[in-house]
Amino acid sequence: MKDENSIFVGNKPFLNYVTGVVMQFTSRGASEVIVKARGKFISRAVDIAEVARKRFLGDTINIKDIKIDSEEFQTKEGRTIRVSNIEITLGKK
Amino acid sequence: MKDENSIFVGNKPFLNYVTGVVMQFTSRGASEVIVKARGKFISRAVDIAEVARKRFLGDTINIKDIKIDSEEFQTKEGRTIRVSNIEITLGKK
């Protein structure tokens, strides 16, 4: 899996990410695209995968795999926080 | 899968849900617990599953399955909106 097949979700406009996913499959001929996000952007990553798959790519793409995980970090103030992440792998049927 | 083994995540305090997951496994002897959420609560569901699994249940529980889906709804104003959902199945190793 090349990194160029990954879409990392942040706070850019919603449709930027959807278009990114769709174009990986259509213009660039990818067989798989991974939608990745951390923290509060996880909900958004799920929305993006669902809209790309159901509204734009019709019945040609399905969800191949979903992974969640989390890591602990130290804040500047010395507190330990845990940040979750998700990786949604979409693939051609 | 009985519905009593499902935890539906909303806006109650975070640890209520974590405790709910942990107690299903410990006090009630469940072999699987499904953490479910919709829309913006999806990120929270992932956090809850991760904290329950890694901080409270140690190495005894893993992620058995993750499903995402979405449904379209009509708002009162007649607009169509799509709402995503997630189901994270945690199970005893």
Side-chain angles (χ1 to χ4, degrees), chain A residues 5-88:
Chain A
N5 287 356
S6 295
I7 305 277
F8 199 83
V9 174
N11 52 20
K12 283 192 250 173
F14 186 81
L15 281 179
N16 286 26
Y17 299 107
V18 175
T19 308
V21 172
V22 172
M23 286 188 57
Q24 289 282 348
F25 282 115
T26 54
S27 314
R28 306 190 61 180
S31 57
E32 286 192 359
V33 175
I34 307 185
V35 181
K36 299 180 178 182
R38 290 171 62 189
K40 66 177 179 178
F41 294 113
I42 289 174
S43 303
R44 212 162 187 232
V46 173
D47 289 342
I48 287 159
E50 284 294 300
V51 167
R53 173 170 90 92
K54 290 198 171 174
R55 186 134 44 107
F56 287 82
L57 293 162
D59 230 19
T60 63
I61 299 295
N62 58 13
I63 296 161
K64 288 274 169 81
D65 190 33
I66 306 172
K67 289 193 176 72
I68 64 173
D69 200 359
S70 58
E71 290 172 281
E72 285 191 339
F73 294 92
Q74 298 294 126
T75 64
K76 279 183 296 187
E77 296 78 22
R79 282 189 308 126
T80 301
I81 55 163
R82 179 176 293 281
V83 179
S84 303
N85 61 70
I86 196 166
E87 294 189 5
I88 304 164

Side-chain angles (χ1 to χ4, degrees), chain B residues 74-86:
Chain B
Q74 299 294 126
T75 64
K76 279 181 295 186
E77 297 78 23
R79 284 189 308 127
T80 301
I81 55 162
R82 179 176 293 281
V83 179
S84 302
N85 61 70
I86 195 166

Side-chain angles (χ1 to χ4, degrees), chain B residues 32-44:
Chain B
E32 287 191 2
V33 174
I34 308 184
V35 181
K36 299 180 180 184
R38 291 170 63 191
K40 67 177 179 178
F41 294 112
I42 289 173
S43 304
R44 213 163 186 233

